[in-house]
Amino acid sequence: MTTADVVIIGAGVLGASAASRLARDGHRVVVLERGAPGREGSGTTAGNLHVQAVHTRRPGQAVPLDSARFTPLQRAASDLWQDVEDDLDASVELRRSGGFTVAETPAQVRELHDKQAWEHAAGITTEILDGDAARAALPQLGPSVAAATWCPLDGYANPLKVTPAYLADAVRHGAELVPFAPVTGVARDGGGWRVTAGARQVVAPVVIDVAGPWLHRIAALAGITLDLAPVAIQMHATVRSPAGLPHLVQHIGEGLSVKQVSAGNLLVGGGWPARRLDLDGRSDAGVDSMVGNLALAVRILPFVRGLRLLRAWAGPLAATPDEMPVIGEVPGSPGFLVAGGTYAFTFAPLWAETLRRLVAGAEPPVDISDLGPERLMQDLPEKKR
Amino acid sequence: MTRHEERDVVIVGGGPAGLAAARRLAAAGLRVTVLDEQPELGGQYFRRPAPEVARVWGEHRPEGRRLVEAVRAAGVECRTGHLVWGVDDDGRTLLVSDPAEHPVRLRGRYVIVATGAYERPFPFPGWQLPGVTTPGFAQHLAAADHTPIGERVLLAGSGPFLLPVACSLLALGVNVAGIAEAGHPYRPGLRALGAVRHPARLRELAGYAARLARARVPLWQDTVVVRADGGERVTSVTLAATAAPTRAVRTVAVDALCVGYGFRPQSDLARMLGCAVRTDPATGDATPVLTASGRSTRDDVYVIGEAAGIGGAPIAAARGLTAALDILAREGHDVPAAELRRPARAGRRLERFKKLTDALYPAPAELARLLPATLPDAATLCRCEAVTAGEVRRVARTTAGDVNATKAWTRAGMGPCQGRECGFAVSAVARTSPDVFPSRLPVRPVPVTTLLEMARTEATRTEVAPTEATRAGAARPEAARPEPVGPEPAGEGEAA
C-alpha cells in the first residue's frame, strides 16, 4: 500500500492535464489507467478546438446542449490553449488558424445569427459571411454553402500528442503514471479513499474520477450512482492530400467537421454514430455512418471527392444525458471529484485548472455551480442505465 | 442497407485454396462467386503471366491455368479485379469495389476467406532504397512479366521460399550474389531426417538446392542483412551473424536486394467478419480459430489457405477442398465417405511435413526476439510515416503491451499500407509481440467516389427491385454483429 495526495483514475486528456497541474502544485499524484494512456476517447477524438458556439446535434443526439451556457467556458478554454505548447515545452501541433461553420438553408443561416449573439456576449469574435464571401475566403467550399460563421480562434491540436505531453509534464513534476492498471475498488479509508488496482493499493484524501465513458463505473465502485450516457462515434481519415485546407470546417445543421492535419491527411467527423459501443472491448466504425459522413463532406467541400478514404475508427464519447459537462465534488463524498462529459478535449486545460483549484480549496476559474455531479444523481430509478 | 447480390457461397481470393473450394462447390450445383483483386485468377502461387509474356516465354506453372479453366467450366462466377474492402453493418455483406471502382455488395450464405498471406519484411538501415524489395515481389515480376528484379541480386531473410525465388532469378540469367538465411536449416541433422517420410516434398526443396549449388550460389546461414547502402539505388549490402548483428562480416555488391522472413496470414477480413483469432504460439501471428474443416467461430464463415496459417500451396488446396466438403455435407449433399477422407488424410500428411520444415527454420516468434537487435534507433521502421525504431522504443516504455497505442503515439502503421509492411517489425521492436494492429475499415484505401455511389444507391434503392435484395434489404440491420454460433472454437485441431 502506498499513500498519495491525489489519485487520478483515467489517463485520458483530463487525467493527464489534471495530473500535470496538480503535480506542479507539489501534490504527490498517482495516475491509474486501465489500458494504455490516452487510447480511448482522448485518442480517438477529432482534436478540434471549438471556440465558436457549437450548435450542432450529432446524428442521433437526443437533446441539444445549452450553447449559450457553453460559450463562456469555450472562451476561457481558448485563452488557456494559447499557452499549452510553451507551458508544456512540447509540440502538440497546435494550430489556431480559425474555422468556418457553414449553413445551407435559410433556417440554418438564422441559426448562425442566433449563435453570434451568444458568441459576442462571451467576448468571442465571429463574423458571418454570405456564401460568396465564404467561398472567397475558403475557395474549397461548395456551391450549397449559403453562409458561414468565421471564428479566427477555432483550431486543432493533435490529440495523440496532447495527452502524452501532459503526462510527460506530470511525470517530470513527480507524478507516477501506472498504465494497464484497471481500478477494481474505491473505498473510504479514514478521512480519505483507498483505491485498488490489481495488486496495487493507494490511499489518498482526494480521488479524481476522470475515467471518461467509464466515469460512472468508477463512481459506482465508491457507491456513487451517476447517470451517464456514453455513446460511440466515429472518425474518418483520408490519404494525405496536397490540397491545403487551412481551416476547420463545420456544419451548423448536420454532423460535420473537416480539417487537414499536419501530416496532410483530412480528418472527417461530426459525431456520426459508430456501429456499436463496446466499453469492454473496441468499438467498431460502421459503414452507414461512413457513407453518410463522407457524402456530406463532399457536398460542403467538393474536392474531397478526389481522395481515398484511408481509415475509419470509432471511440467512446463520455456524454451526459443533458449533453453538458460534469465537474465538481460529489455531494456526500468529500474528496471524490469527477470531471467529464462532452467537449472534454477543448475543455481539458480549463478543467485541469478547475480541478487544481478545487483541490487547493480555491475559487474555480469559471462558474461551475450548475455543472456539478448532483444533477446526474436525480431521478435515478427511471434514468438508470 | 442497400441492395446486394446473394450467392450460396462467396469466396474471397482465387488462389490454390479458393479455387479448390470453388471448383468442388460449383460441381455440386451451388452458386459460387470467386472475388479476386488481381486481374487474373491463380493467386500468388499460380500467378498468370500477362498474355504477351506467356506467348513469348511460355507459362509459369501451367497446372494453374488448367485449374482456372476447370473452375470456370464448373460454372463458378469469377470476378477478377474486385477488391473486398470491408463488411457492411449487418456483419455479413461484403463491400467490394469492381475494376472501375464502382461499389458492389455481395452476400453469401457461406463466406470463404481465402485471402492468402502477406510477406514478412523486417527493416534495416537503407531498406527504403530503390532496388530493395521482397522475394515475393521478385518472384511476381519473374513469373508475371518475365522481368528480373536486378542484374546482381542478393536474397535474404528466412524460410524455404528464398530457394525457388533464387532459381527463378537464375532462370532469367540473373547473377544471384548469394542467399543469406537467418537460421541454419541446410545442415544434415536429426530434425532434417524426419523429412524423408515425405520424399516428394523434400525432392522439391532438394532440387532447388541442387540447382543453386550447380550455379555456385553462395549460401550464408545464421546470417542477416544489417544494412543496405547506395545512392540512387542499392549498391551494397552488409551482412552479419544473426547472433552478433553489430559486427559486420561481409559486404556484397548488388543492384537489387530481396529480404523476407516468410509469410504471415492475411487475417484482416476474417477479423472484420468477427471471426475469433488467437495468437499462434510458434509464429506470434493472429490466426483464425478454426475447426479441422476450416469453419471459423462464425458458423457461416470459413477461412482456408494461407489466411488460415502458413503452409504452402498443397496444404492450401487441401484446406479448400475440406471446407467445400464440409459445406456440402451441411447442405445435405451426398459426399462419398472416401472423398471426405481423402483431403483430410492429405491435409494431415502435409501438416506433418509442414511441421518438419517449420522446425528447420527459425520460428517467426523467435525472429521477433532476435531481429530487433539488428535495428539501430535511427533506422526507419515505418516507411509510410517515416517513424524510426528509436521513436517506437521510446514510447514503448509507456505503451508496452498495446501495439495499437504504440501506433497512436508514433504514427507507425498509420500510412497507406496500414501496417501490412511494418506491423510485424513494430510489434517486435515495441515488444508487444504477439499482437496485431486492429482490423479497420476499409481494409484497403477506397476512393471517396465509391462511397458516394453507395450513398446514391441508398437514396434510389426503391427504384431497383432485385428479387434477392428485397428480402434481406428490407430492414435496417441492428447494430449488433450476429453472435458467433456453432462449434466450440478452441482446441479441436486448428488448420494450422
Side-chain angles (χ1 to χ4, degrees):
Chain A
M1 195 201 72
T2 51
T3 59
D5 298 324
V6 182
V7 174
I8 294 176
I9 303 174
V13 69
L14 291 184
S17 55
S20 151
R21 299 305 95 168
L22 289 162
R24 285 183 178 209
D25 267 8
H27 297 292
R28 291 173 303 151
V29 177
V30 175
V31 184
L32 300 172
E33 162 57 47
R34 66 195 286 275
R39 270 315 296 143
E40 297 291 347
S42 301
T44 51
T45 186
N48 299 335
L49 302 180
H50 295 279
V51 181
Q52 64 173 295
V54 284
H55 195 49
T56 314
R57 288 195 204 188
R58 58 176 187 276
Q61 182 178 331
V63 297
L65 56 80
D66 181 349
S67 302
R69 175 70 183 91
F70 244 63
T71 40
L73 305 174
Q74 288 168 279
R75 172 60 204 259
S78 170
D79 293 347
L80 290 169
W81 269 107
Q82 208 46 47
D83 302 323
V84 161
E85 289 193 318
D86 285 346
D87 180 65
L88 297 178
D89 192 23
S91 165
V92 295
E93 295 172 20
L94 179 70
R95 213 172 54 205
R96 305 300 291 270
S97 48
F100 291 95
T101 297
V102 304
E104 293 181 286
T105 67
Q108 290 169 352
V109 175
R110 277 194 299 280
E111 282 192 65
L112 294 184
H113 289 275
D114 290 347
K115 85 183 182 75
Q116 192 175 41
W118 309 320
E119 288 155 354
H120 286 177
I124 298 167
T125 307
T126 56
E127 190 185 347
I128 299 174
L129 308 173
D130 67 21
D132 288 339
R135 277 180 290 275
L138 185 64
Q140 289 107 326
L141 288 175
S144 68
V145 172
T149 300
W150 162 251
C151 175
L153 290 173
D154 281 350
Y156 166 78
N158 185 342
L160 300 176
K161 300 229 161 138
V162 172
T163 301
Y166 269 123
L167 284 174
D169 185 74
V171 169
R172 267 199 305 278
H173 289 89
E176 185 193 359
L177 169 64
V178 191
F180 303 100
V183 168
T184 50
V186 182
R188 283 183 198 272
D189 186 286
W193 299 90
R194 175 190 299 265
V195 181
T196 307
R200 187 73 195 259
Q201 287 205 330
V202 191
V203 172
V206 175
V207 169
I208 302 181
D209 176 1
V210 275
W214 294 272
L215 185 141
H216 57 319
R217 290 198 184 171
I218 295 297
L221 294 175
I224 301 160
T225 310
L226 291 181
D227 194 11
L228 207 69
V231 294
I233 58 173
Q234 68 186 58
M235 286 293 306
H236 313 89
T238 71
V239 294
R240 294 179 178 203
S241 164
L245 180 70
H247 311 300
L248 174 65
V249 175
Q250 301 175 83
H251 199 295
I252 185 73
E254 298 188 56
L256 182 70
S257 85
V258 184
K259 73 200 146 285
Q260 188 167 26
V261 299
S262 308
N265 311 78
L266 257 72
L267 296 194
V268 178
W272 288 65
R275 197 161 156 275
R276 64 184 177 131
L277 170 71
D278 182 354
L279 285 181
D280 300 311
R282 189 166 292 284
S283 304
D284 292 326
V287 176
D288 283 355
S289 285
M290 186 170 86
V291 166
N293 201 350
L294 266 296
L296 179 56
V298 168
R299 199 171 81 213
I300 302 303
L301 294 163
F303 79 96
V304 173
R305 167 189 298 276
L307 302 175
R308 278 174 187 263
L309 178 71
L310 177 61
R311 183 168 70 240
W313 66 91
L317 179 76
T320 52
D322 59 8
E323 296 288 332
M324 297 301 284
V326 55
I327 185 162
E329 189 174 57
V330 175
S333 300
F336 195 99
L337 278 64
V338 300
T342 47
Y343 294 90
F345 186 74
T346 294
F347 288 137
L350 180 63
W351 293 158
E353 176 61 14
T354 302
L355 289 168
R356 183 187 78 80
R357 295 207 198 170
L358 290 178
V359 172
E363 197 63 22
V366 287
D367 176 18
I368 55 162
S369 53
D370 56 339
L371 299 177
E374 49 277 3
R375 73 182 197 279
L376 306 181
M377 302 169 78
Q378 298 160 0
D379 307 320
L380 282 172
E382 304 93 84
K383 284 163 78 177
K384 198 164 182 174
R385 278 155 217 270
Chain B
M1 191 185 14
T2 61
R3 69 184 281 213
H4 63 267
E5 304 170 54
E6 184 142 347
R7 302 286 182 276
D8 292 324
V9 187
V10 175
I11 301 176
V12 184
L19 292 177
R23 180 187 186 176
R24 185 63 187 86
L25 290 165
L30 271 65
R31 289 182 311 154
V32 181
T33 294
V34 173
L35 301 166
D36 198 292
E37 62 180 306
Q38 298 294 329
E40 298 279 352
L41 293 177
Q44 300 300 332
Y45 186 76
F46 290 132
R47 181 171 279 280
R48 316 301 308 133
E52 317 82 77
V53 174
R55 252 195 317 277
V56 180
W57 298 105
E59 281 201 83
H60 167 71
R61 294 186 174 135
E63 67 271 32
R65 175 179 47 79
R66 290 193 289 273
L67 177 58
V68 171
E69 282 168 1
V71 163
R72 290 187 189 275
V76 174
E77 181 196 29
C78 300
R79 295 170 86 158
T80 53
H82 280 63
L83 171 68
V84 178
W85 59 265
V87 178
D88 212 340
D89 290 346
D90 62 359
R92 295 185 56 194
T93 307
L94 299 177
L95 302 174
V96 186
S97 68
D98 75 6
E101 299 193 311
H102 296 302
V104 176
R105 281 179 154 111
L106 204 57
R107 184 193 279 186
R109 289 196 295 116
Y110 299 93
V111 171
I112 300 183
V113 177
T115 43
Y118 298 124
E119 288 197 270
R120 191 191 304 275
F122 195 88
F124 43 86
W127 76 309
Q128 315 94 301
L129 282 170
V132 178
T133 172
T134 61
F137 182 68
Q139 181 77 336
H140 164 182
L141 214 55
D145 297 331
H146 204 80
T147 300
I149 189 80
E151 290 176 6
R152 188 175 157 78
V153 181
L154 180 78
L155 291 156
S158 184
F161 184 59
L162 297 177
L163 305 188
V165 176
C167 290
S168 296
L169 293 174
L170 284 177
L172 291 174
V174 172
N175 177 354
V176 178
I179 298 174
E181 160 63 54
H184 50 269
Y186 308 116
R187 284 177 193 161
L190 281 177
R191 288 187 304 177
L193 284 180
V196 297
R197 284 168 61 196
H198 308 279
R201 293 281 291 160
L202 185 67
R203 247 198 320 273
E204 190 186 332
L205 267 185
Y208 294 134
R211 236 179 297 166
L212 296 169
R214 273 201 304 279
R216 299 185 191 284
V217 172
L219 173 70
W220 301 295
Q221 303 197 67
D222 291 316
T223 300
V224 289
V225 171
V226 292
R227 62 179 299 118
D229 293 282
E232 284 180 9
R233 66 181 286 137
V234 61
T235 53
S236 82
V237 182
T238 304
L239 302 175
T242 309
T246 51
R247 212 178 62 233
V249 294
R250 188 185 301 275
T251 301
V252 185
V254 298
D255 65 355
L257 167 65
C258 308
V259 185
Y261 292 85
F263 299 87
R264 56 196 185 110
Q266 202 174 129
S267 63
D268 319 47
L269 183 62
R271 286 186 283 147
M272 197 170 279
L273 281 163
C275 305
V277 294
R278 69 188 175 97
T279 300
D280 183 300
T283 64
D285 295 325
T287 310
V289 175
L290 301 170
T291 67
S293 42
R295 209 188 295 183
S296 76
T297 53
R298 264 195 66 171
D299 208 32
D300 53 348
V301 177
Y302 289 73
V303 186
I304 59 172
E306 302 290 75
I310 303 306
I315 288 187
R319 286 176 186 161
L321 199 50
T322 307
L325 296 176
D326 195 62
I327 289 173
L328 290 179
R330 287 171 69 184
E331 288 289 296
H333 287 252
D334 203 13
V335 180
E339 191 192 356
L340 268 178
R341 279 193 301 272
R342 214 176 306 128
R345 207 184 302 125
R348 280 195 299 274
R349 198 172 61 236
L350 290 162
E351 302 280 357
R352 276 198 300 275
F353 175 76
K354 178 182 119 57
K355 285 205 178 74
L356 290 165
T357 42
D358 282 355
L360 294 176
Y361 298 91
E366 191 184 338
L367 292 169
R369 280 191 300 277
L370 289 172
L371 291 174
T374 66
L375 200 61
D377 276 352
T380 298
L381 184 49
C382 161
R383 290 192 288 202
C384 297
E385 296 288 333
V387 180
T388 64
E391 289 171 70
V392 169
R393 287 189 176 112
R394 192 168 44 74
V395 309
R397 287 196 282 272
T398 311
T399 61
D402 186 342
V403 74
N404 199 38
T406 306
K407 166 179 164 180
W409 284 42
T410 61
R411 295 190 68 83
M414 280 196 189
C417 92
Q418 292 288 284
R420 280 184 285 277
E421 288 278 323
C422 66
F424 170 72
V426 169
S427 109
V429 168
R431 301 287 174 193
T432 61
S433 182
D435 211 336
V436 286
F437 291 133
S439 176
R440 287 245 169 88
L441 270 173
V443 174
R444 303 284 171 81
V446 62
V448 170
T449 48
T450 307
L451 302 177
L452 294 177
E453 225 178 307
M454 287 166 69
R456 267 202 302 281
T457 316
E458 196 139 352
T460 58
R461 68 176 179 275
T462 46
E463 294 166 24
V464 295
T467 47
E468 296 132 14
T470 35
R471 177 158 42 106
R476 168 87 180 58
E478 288 308 306
R481 228 164 255 250
E483 284 300 311
V485 286
E488 285 297 280
E492 50 160 314
E494 292 84 5

